[in-house]
Every structure is written in C-alpha cells, then in structure tokens.
Amino acid sequence: MISIVAPMYNEELNINSTFEKITNELSKIKDVEYEIIFVNDGSTDNTLQVAKALADKNDTLHVTSYNINQGRGKALRTGFDYAKGDYIISVDFDLSYDASHITAMIETLDNDEITDAVFVSVYMPGGKAIGVPPFRLFISKMGNLMYRHVFSKKLYTSTCVVRAYRNNAIKSLVLESDDKEIHLEIISKLLAQGFKIKEIPGTLTKRAVGKSKFKFKSTSLSHLMYLIHEKPFLLFGFLGFFLMLVGFVTALILIYSRFSGDNEFAETFIARIASPNVVIILFLFGFQMLGTGFIGIQNNILKKELFKLQSHIKSHK
C-alpha cells in the first residue's frame, strides 16, 4: 500500500487538480492500493471545506486538520502518524515537482531493497528547475550546497519535501520540528540510525496556481539555527581559529613595534592598540570558542545515541 501525504495551507484552488494528478499517476501502477492524506495546516480560506467535500466523494482521500497554522513540520508529522502504507510519500501540494516523481520514487524503492528513503533532487546531475524565480533558486542552491558538508552522507538536496520512505524507517523516528527544518531533522535521524538514503533527479517548476509559501527570512533563520545545532564546530571552531589568528598577528605587531626601532610604525593606530592585554584576551576567547565547538561535537555524539534509544523505545511501545 502507498500513502501520499500532502500538507496544505490556503490551497483551495489546487485541491481538485492535485488530487486528480496524483490519482492519475497512481492509476498507472498495476494493482496498487493507495491512500491520499491531505493535512490542513490551519488554512484561513475554504481549503478545509473544499477538501472535505472531495473526500466525501472519494474513499481514497482522507483529510485531517487543525485550526491554527503551525508549519510544514507539524503537518508532515500529522500525516506520517496517520499513514498506513508500506511506502509513505510526501509531496508539495501544488505539485511543483510533477506527480510523475511519485512513480519514480516507488520504482526506486521497489528495485533497491537496501534503500530506506528516496529524495527527489533538483540539484544533482540530471535535475533541473524551470521558471523558478532566480533569487529563490539562488538561496536554495546556496543553502543546499552548505548542507552537503553537514551530514555524514553528502546529499545534493536536503530541503525538498518530495520524498518516499519505507514505513519502518520514517515511523521509527521521533520527530519534533514544526517548520521546514523537519527535512533536516529527518535526514539527521535517518543517518544516525543507519538507514540508507538515495537521491534521484527531479524537475522543479514554477507554481502555476496560488501564492508561494516561501519566506526568505524565517526559512533562512530556521535553517541557520539547525546548521549550528547540527554542526556547532563549523561556527565555534571557525570563530576560535579566527580569534587566535588575530591574536597571533596582534602579537607579531606588538613585538615588531616594541623591538624594531621603527618609531613611525609604533605611532600608527594598529601598533598603539596592540597590547599584551589584547593578545591575551584574543587567545582566551579563541580557546573558549574552540572548547565550545569540541563540547558541541560530544553533544552531537550523545544526541545520536539518544535518537537510537528513542527509536528503540518507540518501536517497543
């Protein structure tokens, strides 16, 4: 059985077309049983009413809802909890990634028994974007390029919602994120528990109907905070090395100004601010930042062990 999870927020104009496109795609697969789960994330328009009316006419469609908008992460977690399929697939509601990606992910899981999750990637070789605003595409590319160096497995795309999971993989995770950082949380916890992820190329197109939900400030901030949480040494280690480098250069300036006999240089602003106290402070703060980074590494090791323990407890409930 296949479960399709589609979070929706103010999507009343897309409901019928999205349902039709998904069902048409799934109908191409022989003898497939499926359920489609629309999760209403506190929409303020007629999304819930339109979805419920459609569900009344179609047994394969299930609609679950809550009143206050809480973010994509909350909607996905709700859909995952409801899903009963052997494969659980999440999609963007406007199908900016065409429904044909659903079939491609299913075939990948069918043909590769060791893969537990399949991610659609616009940035891997063979992937492409059509008609997407350049600024949004640039921000997304930079973010995903950065995350390639965060996780133990180098992924081309870490933030796309279009994914397929084996039931035992996604259901074993104890997920907590309420917003788009859930995509990063899922990767971190899948890898921590030894699950295998595979990417396939995808095509991203511009939204045809409705307004994009992309919010640069909130999305960038949440992803940046998750980056610091996942790889604290990237921030604190860099700051530590930078402060120590500045301290070393300051010490050289201090030594030169004191013993070179170059009176003209000794009167410059740089030479006057170079003092033993400044050197000591820079080195102390540098060591402190490095220490914080190393503590963060140890915390991440403990965190991954906690993920495994949470999964073990959840699977035995």
Side-chain angles (χ1 to χ4, degrees), residues 33 42 57 120 131 143 160 260 278 315:
E33 292 184 48
K57 302 174 185 177
V120 170
C160 179
S260 67
V278 171
S315 64

Side-chain angles (χ1 to χ4, degrees), residues 23-265:
T23 53
N24 285 344
E25 186 64 30
L26 291 172
S27 68
K28 299 175 185 177
I29 305 174
K30 186 178 180 181
D31 298 326
V32 67
E33 292 184 48
Y34 65 87
E35 60 178 357
I36 300 172
I37 304 163
F38 285 176
V39 183
N40 178 46
D41 183 22
S43 296
T44 57
D45 62 0
N46 294 319
T47 292
L48 180 58
Q49 292 83 354
V50 175
K52 282 186 172 181
L54 184 62
D56 288 340
K57 302 174 185 177
N58 296 274
D59 293 337
T60 56
L61 177 60
H62 309 286
V63 179
T64 183
S65 178
Y66 40 87
N67 294 329
I68 300 174
N69 177 247
Q70 298 181 54
R72 181 185 288 178
K74 171 68 174 179
L76 286 174
R77 290 193 290 114
T78 301
F80 293 156
D81 287 342
Y82 191 97
K84 302 177 181 65
D86 301 304
Y87 298 165
I88 299 175
I89 300 173
S90 59
V91 298
D92 53 336
F93 199 85
D94 65 330
L95 296 181
S96 295
Y97 289 88
D98 187 78
S100 61
H101 293 90
I102 295 173
T103 301
M105 290 188 290
I106 292 172
E107 290 176 348
T108 301
L109 288 176
D110 283 343
N111 296 327
D112 190 346
E113 294 182 358
I114 68 170
T115 293
D116 301 294
V118 179
F119 294 0
V120 170
S121 172
V122 68
Y123 301 124
M124 73 179 297
K128 59 183 177 179
I130 301 173
V132 181
F135 177 71
R136 177 185 173 186
L137 192 62
F138 173 77
I139 295 299
S140 178
K141 280 183 178 180
M142 291 303 100
N144 282 284
L145 180 61
M146 178 177 62
Y147 275 110
R148 281 206 76 192
H149 304 284
V150 170
F151 298 111
S152 58
K153 178 178 175 59
K154 294 190 181 302
L155 299 169
Y156 288 95
T157 304
S158 300
T159 58
C160 179
V161 66
V162 185
R163 300 174 175 181
Y165 309 95
R166 295 192 190 275
N167 183 296
N168 67 305
I170 193 64
K171 291 277 193 178
S172 72
L173 307 183
V174 180
L175 300 173
E176 301 170 319
S177 299
D178 282 338
D179 216 330
K180 292 183 179 180
E181 65 270 15
I182 192 170
H183 305 310
L184 308 174
E185 181 188 6
I186 289 172
I187 295 173
S188 179
K189 293 184 175 180
L190 283 174
L191 294 176
Q193 293 177 209
F195 291 112
K196 306 299 182 184
I197 300 172
K198 184 174 184 176
E199 288 185 283
I200 61 173
T203 299
L204 172 65
T205 58
K206 181 181 179 181
R207 169 184 276 263
V209 179
K211 186 178 179 181
S212 172
K213 307 302 186 300
F214 176 76
K215 296 178 181 178
F216 169 70
K217 183 177 179 180
S218 61
T219 300
S220 300
L221 182 60
S222 66
H223 284 178
L224 179 61
M225 294 304 296
Y226 198 88
L227 172 64
I228 295 171
H229 179 261
E230 188 68 24
K231 289 287 183 180
F233 196 78
L234 285 179
L235 173 65
F236 295 109
F238 173 79
L239 284 175
F241 282 119
F242 176 75
L243 289 173
M244 292 178 68
L245 177 62
V246 174
F248 179 73
V249 173
T250 304
L252 291 178
I253 292 171
L254 177 64
I255 293 170
Y256 181 81
S257 64
R258 294 286 178 90
F259 301 105
S260 67
D262 188 343
N263 294 328
E264 184 177 345
F265 178 78

